[in-house]
Amino acid sequence: MELADRAVGLLLTLISLSIFTYFTFWVIIVPFVDSDHFVHQYFLPLEYAIIIPVFAGVALLSLLSLFVGSVMLKSRKKNKKA
């Protein structure tokens, strides 16, 4: 099982690193490149550099709040039974 855990960890690290590199290049480097350069075809418009992380953050906080709320409700039901 240790080998599978290492493989999953390596995969998650590589995915995170590639997303970080893509986003960093998109936000920091691309705005300084001429708009007719071929590299712009690989990136969304710059407005999405704000919209996507905000949406992901709101979704993450919403799911986290739902999880914490469900755990609190389940623990309250257990305390009433005891």
Side-chain angles (χ1 to χ4, degrees):
M1 195 66 174
E2 182 179 322
L3 184 61
D5 290 340
R6 283 182 178 230
V8 170
L10 179 65
L11 180 66
L12 289 174
T13 301
L14 290 176
I15 289 171
S16 299
L17 187 61
S18 64
I19 290 172
F20 176 76
T21 304
Y22 178 85
F23 187 78
T24 302
F25 190 75
W26 180 28
V27 172
I28 295 176
I29 305 297
V30 171
F32 297 108
V33 177
D34 291 334
S35 60
D36 58 344
H37 199 271
F38 76 93
V39 77
H40 280 278
Q41 70 185 5
Y42 300 112
F43 297 95
L44 292 171
L46 201 54
E47 294 84 28
Y48 289 102
I50 301 298
I51 294 170
I52 291 172
V54 166
F55 180 74
V58 168
L60 179 69
L61 288 175
S62 298
L63 291 173
L64 185 63
S65 298
L66 285 172
F67 175 73
V68 170
S70 67
V71 168
M72 290 174 64
L73 287 174
K74 286 180 184 178
S75 69
R76 182 180 292 172
K77 287 180 185 177
K78 285 183 182 178
N79 286 341
K80 284 185 179 181
K81 286 183 181 179

